[in-house]
Amino acid sequence: MPHHGNEAEHSEGNGDEREGARQQKPVIRDNRKVDPETGAARHPEGEAAAPTEGNAAPTEGDALSQAEEILNGVEVPAEESVASGAAAEAQAAELRNDLLRLQAEYVNYRKRVERDRAVAGEMAVIGVLNSLLPVLDDVDAARQHGDLEDGPFAAIATKLENALKTYGLERIAETGVEFDPTIHEALIQQPGEDIDVDTVSQVLRSGYRSGERVLRAAQVIVAVPA
């Protein structure tokens, strides 16, 4: 094919075309996040690179350690130490007083419980004794009529009276003693001889008491000074 122009121009033009072709080759970008050769993670463009050992950011544990070191390095003034000791001593004294108060309350509670228990036991015994008083009246009546002079019933009556004595039961049946309205009930008064005060001359029905408690007053005839 015939060429127009000189040969140098054609050679120069072909060189420029080849140079442009070389410059327009496609660019291949490797966007893989892991380097296939080293296995290390890659950081995409625009993200901050991982801190190196020289400029590594402090972790939370390091910050706490630093804060603890700072606090440990702070010296507490002597005045604050004395104040803390005084506060601890005051608190110990308060706790000791609370303990003593609780101990006293417990001792009082235990005494009250024991006292209530003793009173409850005494009332139970008194209830039983009161229920047996009519039986004792029948025993007295039988003895006065001579029905308990001997025999098995006399032995049973004696055992009953002795058993009740172990529970503190006492008979009120004395004659010739001064009249006492706390343990005697005067049914009849009659003039007496050679007496200066009211005196029990006869017991119509025996009375009973348990300790200091009078279960039943004795019904008596009282002789008064003439």
Side-chain angles (χ1 to χ4, degrees):
M1 181 175 179
H3 295 280
H4 297 282
N6 55 25
E7 197 67 29
E9 291 178 355
H10 285 286
S11 299
E12 184 178 357
N14 292 333
D16 294 338
E17 290 177 0
R18 286 193 297 272
E19 184 66 23
R22 285 195 299 268
Q23 292 177 357
Q24 294 179 359
K25 288 182 179 180
V27 178
I28 300 175
R29 300 180 181 275
D30 190 356
N31 293 329
R32 289 176 292 182
K33 297 184 178 181
V34 179
D35 192 338
E37 296 181 359
T38 62
R42 294 176 175 175
H43 295 277
E45 296 180 359
E47 294 184 0
T52 60
E53 295 181 358
N55 59 354
T59 60
E60 184 179 357
D62 295 336
L64 293 176
S65 300
Q66 294 177 4
E68 185 176 357
E69 292 178 359
I70 294 173
L71 292 176
N72 292 334
V74 176
E75 296 182 357
V76 180
E79 296 180 356
E80 295 184 4
S81 300
V82 173
S84 299
E89 185 176 357
Q91 185 177 7
E94 183 178 359
L95 293 176
R96 183 166 54 253
N97 293 333
D98 292 341
L99 179 61
L100 293 176
R101 183 171 61 255
L102 289 175
Q103 184 179 8
E105 291 178 357
Y106 172 73
V107 171
N108 293 333
Y109 169 76
R110 186 176 61 183
K111 290 181 179 179
R112 184 169 62 253
V113 170
E114 292 177 356
R115 183 173 60 253
D116 294 343
R117 186 180 302 168
V119 171
E122 182 180 358
M123 294 304 298
V125 171
I126 290 175
V128 173
L129 295 178
N130 282 326
S131 64
L132 292 176
L133 293 184
V135 178
L136 296 178
D137 291 339
D138 294 339
V139 171
D140 285 342
R143 184 177 287 112
Q144 291 175 4
H145 287 83
D147 297 335
L148 294 180
E149 294 181 358
D150 54 8
F153 290 105
I156 293 174
T158 303
K159 288 181 180 180
L160 175 62
E161 292 173 344
N162 292 333
L164 294 179
K165 288 180 181 179
T166 60
Y167 289 96
L169 184 66
E170 297 180 7
R171 184 190 300 271
I172 304 174
E174 298 85 0
T175 58
V177 297
E178 184 178 354
F179 175 78
D180 186 353
T182 60
I183 61 175
H184 297 135
E185 180 183 359
L187 297 182
I188 301 173
Q189 290 185 352
Q190 59 187 12
E193 297 180 356
D194 300 332
I195 57 173
D196 298 330
V197 295
D198 295 347
T199 305
V200 176
S201 60
Q202 183 178 354
V203 177
L204 301 178
R205 189 183 69 173
S206 299
Y208 294 93
R209 60 186 171 190
S210 176
E212 299 297 331
R213 183 186 296 271
V214 178
L215 303 182
R216 189 180 70 183
Q219 295 180 348
V220 297
I221 297 176
V222 179
V224 297

